[in-house]
Amino acid sequence: MKISILKSNKNLEEYSVEENFTINKKTFSSIILLFKVIIAALYAFGLGYSLFFFGDDYIKTGIKVLCILIITYIFIDFPYSFFKALFLPKVFNKDNISLKVNPYTLSIDISSNTKISKIRVIISLILPFIILAIIPTIVSYILEFNVYLYVIASASAIIASKDLICLILILKNYSKGNSIKLDTDELIFYP
């Protein structure tokens, strides 16, 4: 796996449009932002409901949670992306999978130099979301409200919203090809 900083939005290779189907992820950036806001609002509503049980300290606890959430959101993207990349084939081959850090959006995109089966891509999009967002949320409510688990779950869910939109796009265009090549700005379907 190679880690690099994204310098420009140019594609490294030219793809033949006739034989491949390409989805540009940038055209869905407003939907991704809206989805992030909805997820953040849902977690904020759940947090507000949970802080009710703290009694008079709910404002102090809410500010503490907000500060921890901001720090966690900044630093959890790399482990989340690394965990997501672990489900892709030959991840530790530096020529196969690369994590590209975008310093402007503080996000990390995964790109591949090889074709990956759709099932592997779908698994790499779903499992980190389930393990880092869904399970900590459920555990946080079942056992007792845990601020740290809730912060990890909410930051992971907000980060995963981009992956969930990509998952919907892959499932919607499932018949377009058997394999996918990941790029920072595109999903390229191959027959």
Side-chain angles (χ1 to χ4, degrees):
M1 178 183 333
K2 184 167 87 171
I3 301 170
S4 62
I5 296 177
L6 189 63
K7 294 181 182 171
S8 68
N9 291 330
K10 292 182 192 177
N11 289 333
L12 297 177
E13 298 178 23
E14 291 297 322
Y15 303 105
S16 173
V17 179
E18 295 85 26
E19 60 187 50
N20 306 329
F21 178 74
T22 303
I23 296 175
N24 191 347
K25 292 190 253 183
K26 283 189 173 187
T27 58
F28 297 96
S29 61
S30 60
I31 295 172
I32 292 170
L33 180 62
L34 178 66
F35 202 55
K36 282 184 178 188
V37 169
I38 290 171
I39 289 175
L42 289 174
Y43 272 95
F45 178 76
L47 176 66
Y49 177 74
S50 299
L51 289 180
F52 174 75
F53 298 107
F54 278 91
D56 294 336
D57 291 339
Y58 69 91
I59 292 177
K60 190 189 321 182
T61 307
I63 292 171
K64 174 184 169 185
V65 168
L66 183 62
C67 293
I68 295 170
L69 178 65
I70 291 169
I71 293 168
T72 304
Y73 181 79
I74 292 170
F75 290 110
I76 202 167
D77 198 11
F78 181 75
Y80 185 87
S81 297
F82 181 75
F83 187 59
K84 184 170 58 170
L86 287 177
F87 295 103
L88 298 175
K90 300 178 185 174
V91 70
F92 293 111
N93 183 352
K94 72 176 185 172
D95 296 329
N96 192 20
I97 304 291
S98 62
L99 299 176
K100 298 193 178 185
V101 179
N102 189 340
Y104 303 111
T105 62
L106 296 175
S107 65
I108 298 174
D109 293 314
I110 297 175
S111 63
S112 65
N113 291 331
T114 60
K115 300 174 189 175
I116 304 169
S117 82
K118 281 187 189 177
I119 300 299
R120 292 289 291 262
V121 173
I122 290 171
I123 289 171
S124 78
L125 294 174
I126 291 176
L127 280 181
F129 174 69
I130 291 172
I131 293 171
L132 293 174
I134 302 292
I135 292 175
T137 301
I138 294 170
V139 169
S140 175
Y141 280 119
I142 289 177
L143 298 177
E144 183 179 327
F145 181 73
N146 186 331
V147 171
Y148 301 107
L149 273 177
Y150 197 77
V151 165
I152 289 171
S154 59
S156 297
I158 293 168
I159 290 169
S161 60
K162 177 175 63 172
D163 297 335
L164 295 176
I165 296 295
C166 288
L167 176 67
I168 292 169
L169 291 172
I170 290 170
L171 293 176
K172 181 182 172 202
N173 299 300
Y174 196 78
S175 63
K176 300 293 183 185
N178 296 329
S179 58
I180 298 174
K181 190 171 185 182
L182 302 172
D183 195 21
T184 55
D185 295 331
E186 296 176 329
L187 295 171
I188 302 129
F189 291 79
Y190 287 93

